[in-house]
Amino acid sequence: MNAPIRPIFLALMLCLSPTLTRAEEILVFAASSLATALDEIEQKFEAASDTEVSMVYAGSSTLARQIEQGAPADIFISANTDWMDRIAQAGLIAPDARFDLLGNQLVLVAHGEGLDQSGQIITPEINLTDLLDGGYLAMALVDAVPAGIYGHAALTHLDLWDTVADRVAQFDNVRSALAQVAAGATPLGVVYRSDAMISTQVHIIGTFPADSHDPIRYPVAALGAEMKPAAAAFLAYLRGRDAAMIFTANGFETLAEAEK
């Protein structure tokens, strides 16, 4: 007697129960240097929306290549414009879905606690050989990862690259380079200011001159032939005041015009 009723009952339960409604989902590929700020933003966005956000962090070059190979990301946030340009040239960005989100600074950090000297500008007179004291300078990959590319350009501009080239230890992303300095595996590292701010085991020796490397920009874009509504909502949130406060607290410069 009851058997014919069960399918109808289950159907009604599916319609009436909000807990059984599947939330929208988006996958965000983002540069490693954004992890701390974006983890906080992700939590706040999910709490204010019906969207579940999955974050994947790595070097911008690694993420861009995965996108080129068909990775199903909905949003890409790169640590420089070159890798975003490459994705755009491949026709993988949704129309009118790209803008510059953030800026950053490049700094030299040392292991251990110490006075934050981010206001001191690094000059060619700095003696990196003495500061390294036989150790290595941790950097992201200088030919592929934005932080490493910026660092190589800055050291070359200051005529310091040749003095440290054989003492550079390269890593897949800037957070890995930071971790080496924080652990004391290397005495110095070249990282973003936002990275240095998250670690209590490093201190800033100085900031590289802004004109020693290309401007540090973080472009963001929605991917695919058409932007998902959930991706559009997340991009709008990234431009909003709540996200801007989090980015600023983490050492970034906000570039996108805030959404009201």
Side-chain angles (χ1 to χ4, degrees):
M1 294 291 295
N2 293 333
I5 299 175
R6 286 176 184 167
I8 299 174
F9 176 77
L10 290 174
L12 288 172
M13 288 297 294
L14 285 170
C15 293
L16 295 175
S17 176
T19 60
L20 295 177
T21 301
R22 185 173 181 177
E24 292 187 88
E25 300 176 359
I26 56 172
L27 177 61
V28 179
F29 278 16
S32 296
S33 53
L34 293 164
T36 304
L38 282 182
D39 282 347
E40 184 176 352
I41 289 170
E42 173 196 352
Q43 292 179 3
K44 290 183 178 296
F45 176 74
E46 287 182 335
S49 70
D50 293 325
T51 301
E52 294 181 3
V53 182
S54 297
M55 308 296 303
V56 174
Y57 300 112
S60 298
S61 57
T62 298
L63 297 173
R65 291 188 179 106
Q66 290 179 358
I67 292 168
E68 287 179 320
Q69 293 168 8
D74 298 301
I75 291 173
F76 177 39
I77 313 177
S78 175
N80 77 349
T81 57
D82 289 346
W83 286 108
M84 187 64 78
D85 288 345
R86 178 163 163 170
I87 295 302
Q89 290 164 8
L92 300 175
I93 292 179
D96 302 318
R98 172 181 174 174
F99 57 90
D100 284 343
L101 179 65
L102 301 168
N104 213 331
Q105 293 178 310
L106 197 69
V107 298
L108 181 69
V109 294
H111 172 67
E113 297 181 0
L115 179 66
D116 182 336
Q117 302 180 71
S118 53
Q120 177 173 309
I121 302 300
I122 296 171
T123 69
E125 285 67 45
I126 190 172
N127 194 326
L128 289 180
T129 301
D130 283 354
L131 291 174
L132 287 171
D133 192 25
Y136 285 84
L137 177 67
M139 297 180 65
L141 294 170
V142 301
D143 292 326
V145 178
I149 295 171
Y150 293 129
H152 178 264
L155 291 168
T156 300
H157 178 85
L158 296 171
D159 294 325
L160 295 170
W161 178 254
D162 289 342
T163 67
V164 297
D166 62 347
R167 306 302 300 174
V168 171
Q170 300 185 45
F171 299 91
D172 287 343
N173 60 72
V174 68
R175 285 295 175 89
S176 294
L178 175 71
Q180 295 298 310
V181 186
T186 62
L188 300 177
V190 177
V191 300
Y192 297 124
R193 180 172 180 269
S194 58
D195 294 306
M197 289 178 61
I198 70 168
S199 176
T200 59
Q201 300 303 314
V202 305
H203 62 278
I204 298 175
I205 293 178
T207 301
F208 288 93
D211 64 357
S212 67
H213 54 79
D214 289 339
I216 299 173
R217 296 288 182 264
Y218 289 75
V220 57
L223 305 175
E226 185 176 350
M227 181 163 42
K228 288 183 178 179
F234 188 68
L235 290 185
Y237 193 85
L238 291 178
R239 301 175 78 153
R241 293 176 180 174
D242 289 346
M245 290 175 63
I246 294 170
F247 284 131
T248 300
N250 280 272
F252 294 96
E253 174 191 4
T254 55
L255 301 177
E257 182 179 353
E259 295 282 350
K260 302 298 184 183

